[in-house]
Amino acid sequence: MAIWDNLFRGRAAQFDSGSAATNSIELSRRRPSVSLTKQGAATGNLRVNLSWRMRTSDLDGRSHQGGLLRRPFNLFKPDVVQAHTQGIVNVDLDLGCLYELTDGSKGVVQPLGGFLGSLNESPYVRLSGDDRFGGSSGETIYVNLDHRDEIKRLLFFVYIYDQTPAFDRTHAHCTLYPSNGPRVEIELDERAPQARSCAVFSVENVKGDLVVRREMKFVYGFQAELDRLYGWGLQWGRGYKSRV
């Protein structure tokens, strides 16, 4: 476990971070899937990053429509970010991964409950940490694709922990950084104001071909509802984070 001691001491550079700094593949409704195998990107460590920032009505152009001519200095006045009837929104987005291996074992890797996983042992999926404030680094999960033959399917999801449902007030996206080939971008660009969880994308081993598929399915519950939607069959209970 020394490798994780080094990781948490800030030496995450030992992981492959992807070689594509300038080119990317964006998954959308029109292009929902890509084969990592055909891209030559099905080996090494796949880095999956979630990042987000709060959406303001200034950036969306909604609060000052027709008002900037009358009050031009409002352009430089920051808006209070609101969601529904709440005052200020403080959204804590978490990245998680449901896994199923070819030997039948199933589980979850997520911040809640401290299910951080393992990279060099089953399930070959590891969460690097929990970002509670939407920092520039976001949250990252690593997948050891050198064990791809032992992975049947993965489902990466995002959920809002114990806060106002406000997916419509965040700019969030997931980026996949393979050890080779272009990165893969998936925007959480569909508005679902009341949703608390979203299945963002899946990785499935289809006869040796690792296929990434955009899911973008919002649900109004938490992990248990995603479990039922995708037939994982796990037992869920209420979990809490430690205070910081």
Side-chain angles (χ1 to χ4, degrees):
M1 297 300 291
I3 187 174
W4 294 114
D5 295 335
N6 291 337
L7 173 61
F8 294 137
R9 291 190 184 104
R11 290 158 62 182
Q14 61 191 296
F15 290 102
D16 297 327
S17 60
S19 60
T22 59
N23 60 331
S24 64
I25 296 172
E26 183 177 356
L27 296 188
S28 62
R29 287 186 177 183
R30 296 184 66 179
R31 184 182 184 178
S33 65
V34 64
S35 168
L36 293 180
T37 303
K38 293 177 182 178
Q39 294 289 330
T43 59
N45 292 311
L46 172 68
R47 178 163 62 96
V48 178
N49 178 259
L50 165 71
S51 60
W52 74 93
R53 60 183 173 85
M54 294 308 300
R55 180 194 300 268
T56 66
S57 51
D58 267 343
L59 293 176
D60 288 339
R62 289 182 294 198
S63 67
H64 298 307
Q65 291 179 356
L68 285 177
L69 292 178
R70 294 191 300 271
R71 293 183 292 274
F73 289 104
N74 278 356
L75 177 64
F76 306 100
K77 182 179 178 181
D79 278 359
V80 174
V81 181
Q82 295 183 344
H84 315 296
T85 58
Q86 301 296 319
I88 298 177
V89 176
N90 179 24
V91 176
D92 178 12
L93 296 185
D94 281 338
L95 176 66
C97 177
L98 285 165
Y99 64 84
E100 181 178 2
L101 304 184
T102 54
D103 65 2
S105 58
K106 301 177 182 179
V108 66
V109 172
Q110 63 178 20
L112 196 60
F115 296 103
L116 301 182
S118 178
L119 193 66
N120 296 311
E121 299 176 343
S122 176
Y124 311 109
V125 180
R126 175 74 183 188
L127 176 69
S128 66
D130 179 15
D131 173 22
R132 303 191 183 188
F133 306 104
S136 58
S137 61
E139 293 192 358
T140 300
I141 288 179
Y142 295 92
V143 182
N144 188 344
L145 295 184
D146 289 337
H147 291 270
R148 59 192 177 279
D149 292 339
E150 299 172 63
I151 297 173
K152 181 177 180 181
R153 60 172 177 159
L154 307 172
L155 179 68
F156 286 83
F157 60 91
V158 174
Y159 62 97
I160 297 176
Y161 171 75
D162 200 27
Q163 296 288 348
T164 303
F167 272 112
D168 62 329
R169 287 295 188 177
T170 60
H171 285 290
H173 65 275
C174 285
T175 306
L176 289 69
Y177 297 91
S179 59
N180 296 290
R183 66 184 184 271
V184 180
E185 305 273 0
I186 306 171
E187 296 284 341
L188 279 75
D189 54 0
E190 298 181 16
R191 304 275 68 85
Q194 298 295 331
R196 288 190 173 273
S197 305
C198 177
V200 182
F201 71 94
S202 60
V203 180
E204 188 172 3
N205 191 333
V206 183
K207 297 181 180 179
D209 187 11
L210 279 185
V211 178
V212 176
R213 178 172 298 277
R214 178 184 182 270
E215 300 290 340
M216 287 306 297
K217 291 185 172 61
F218 287 92
V219 299
Y220 299 99
F222 291 98
Q223 293 90 323
E225 191 168 343
L226 290 173
D227 183 311
R228 288 191 294 271
L229 184 63
Y230 286 89
W232 237 266
L234 301 178
Q235 298 295 320
W236 298 91
R238 178 64 173 167
Y240 300 91
K241 290 186 181 181
S242 60
R243 294 183 179 181
V244 294

